[in-house]
């Protein structure tokens, strides 16, 4: 890796960059960019949500979001990675590992009991990555699409 990896917080002005990263993550579904931008702005203002961009030189190559929530059944704060995406050209360069390390440090700093994440059952390479990074498959997550008006 010849270019130095750096990390920055995000700003609302970077919503187009975030949109492109989320589209890479959600290849199966088009998203409304304005709705994403509005949600991003709301989340930036939420003290329990943190974001980080990964850069190689002047190119954004990764993104992570971290949410903290007090879980009553733990009687503790739990941190959850909501999104983690590394662009294909930057995979196997340590970007994902560095973003996870950032999330883990943030969670520790905020006194979270554990850090959890969900990933699609189709993302077998991601499963291997998370296991290699010390994560364990301990839960099942059930989802149900809801129609709204």
């Amino acid at each position: 890796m010849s270019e130095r990896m750096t990390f920055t917080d995000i700003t609302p002005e970077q919503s187009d960059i975030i949109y492109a990263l989320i589209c890479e993550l959600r290849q199966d579904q088009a998203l409304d960019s304005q709705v994403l931008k509005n949600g991003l702005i709301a989340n930036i203002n939420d003290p329990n949500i943190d974001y980080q961009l990964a850069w190689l030189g002047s190119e954004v190559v990764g993104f992570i979001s971290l949410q903290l929530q007090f879980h009553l059944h733990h009687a503790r704060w739990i941190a959850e990675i909501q999104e983690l995406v590394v662009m294909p050209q930057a995979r196997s360069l340590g970007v994902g590992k560095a973003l996870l390390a950032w999330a883990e440090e943030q969670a520790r700093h905020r006194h979270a009991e554990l850090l959890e994440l969900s990933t699609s059952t189709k993302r077998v390479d991601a499963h291997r990555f998370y296991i290699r990074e010390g994560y364990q498959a301990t839960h099942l997550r059930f989802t149900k699409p809801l129609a709204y008006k």
Side-chain angles (χ1 to χ4, degrees), residues 3-4 6 17 53-62 87 89-90:
E3 296 186 274
R4 197 174 118 231
T6 57
I17 293 170
L53 284 175
W55 301 75
L56 282 178
S58 61
E59 181 182 11
V60 174
V61 294
M87 296 302 282
Q89 70 273 19

Side-chain angles (χ1 to χ4, degrees), residues 93-143:
L93 297 178
V95 175
K97 183 180 184 78
L99 287 168
L100 280 180
W102 172 85
E104 291 168 11
E105 181 57 32
Q106 294 300 308
R108 281 188 198 94
H109 180 72
R110 302 275 296 273
H111 306 287
E113 178 181 48
L114 62 89
L115 178 58
E116 60 186 18
L117 59 87
S118 297
T119 183
S120 168
T121 56
K122 298 174 188 173
R123 295 186 175 274
V124 177
D125 290 340
H127 303 168
R128 284 193 290 268
F129 168 71
Y130 294 128
I131 290 167
R132 191 170 58 246
E133 294 304 313
Y135 289 77
Q136 300 171 9
T138 61
H139 293 72
L140 293 176
R141 175 165 271 182
F142 295 90
T143 62

Side-chain angles (χ1 to χ4, degrees), residues 11 14 36 41 45 77 81 83 90 97 120 127 131 142 145:
T11 65
Q14 293 170 313
L36 184 137
I41 291 168
N45 292 316
W77 285 91
I81 295 170
E83 293 99 7
K97 183 180 184 78
S120 168
H127 303 168
I131 290 167
F142 295 90

